[in-house]
Amino acid sequence: MSDVHFNTIALIGIGLIGSSLARVIKREGLADKIVISTRSEATLARARELGLGDSYTLDSSEAVKNADLVIVSVPVGSSGDVARQIAGSLKPGAIVTDVGSTKGSVIAQMQPELPANVHFIPGHPLAGTEYSGPDAGFADLFINRWCILTPLEGTDPDAIAKLTKFWEACGSRLDTMDPLHHDRVLAIVSHLPHLIAYNIVGTASDLEEVTNSEVIKYSASGFRDFTRLAASDPTMWRDVCLHNKDAILEMLSRFSEDLASLQRSVRWGDGDALFDLFTRTRAVRRGIIDAGQEVDAPDFGRQKAGQSST
Ligand code: NAP
């Protein structure tokens, strides 16, 4: 049993991340009561059927009334709306956090709306899959995955320590970062790979008409690894692109330059340059395996349930 405990945790948004939190909170006994709120009746009804919480409401302001921890798990473009809805009902001293994949924009949307007597600590668990909704969540999602907190200057260290313990009890490893630094790092490790995947799968799907299903038939040659990323939730990823625009554009422009150089190596038959690059990239994967962020299994560990960090 963990030594961190809340009387009431309110979960606003109960999709992949929110429902994974509900499951792990229950399993680890991190709260006496879990209150669940979401936008649609259908999702709320499903959360109730799955028994994810102790009480359920479509009214997010009602949900947060007695909560000492509020976790907002909605697409980043909706963070400001949620903050406006809950601001007037928050309990003084409550910790308010989020799980959004971008941090600068979430802070800009939420901070001005929230009262000064709550502890707003933005966060981002680097754990996810390509599935969404309350059925997609599972209690082990956060195990051994990083969770990055991006606290603002002047935040109460006790509140940060309590939220840190909460995520550790969920299985995460914790790091803190400046929000803008977070957004640049995530642009390269998560946002750019997703954009590349969306792009290559889009191109292949255009070509598919020409090649008469050969793209799908022979997908194991490499293509299918992109299709998993490209199957990620369209709403979430539209919002990520719109809300981390500057960092994504910066990384895209570096990527385009490097791609042009790779193109040149292929055109001029520069085998040494190709070999050097491919040797360097192979070492990067080795480093990821050594850091425990991927399994050292052939076929990308496909036999086990896939997890991605977003
Ligand atoms: P999800 O499975 O699609 O669930 C989204 C939840 O947000 C649903 O409960 C949905 O409600 C609610 N919602 C959607 N639009 C809303 C709006 N305009 N106002 C209020 N509520 C709204 O999404 P998720 O994967 O859990 O992602 C949630 C957050 O976690 C996002 O900010 C994402 O960037 C971040 N994140 C995702 C991953 C990942 O891999 N998926 C990883 C780390 C962080 P209804 O169903 O009732 O409409």
Side-chain angles (χ1 to χ4, degrees), residues 134-145:
D135 286 279
F138 52 100
D140 283 346
L141 177 64
F142 307 106
I143 288 185
N144 206 25
R145 301 277 148 182

Side-chain angles (χ1 to χ4, degrees), residues 14-17 38-40 43 74-75 78 99 101 125 127-128 132-133 236 310:
I14 196 70
L16 169 71
I17 302 294
T38 188
R39 181 180 54 168
S40 72
T43 303
V74 304
S78 304
V99 298
S101 306
S132 37
M236 170 186 157
T310 42

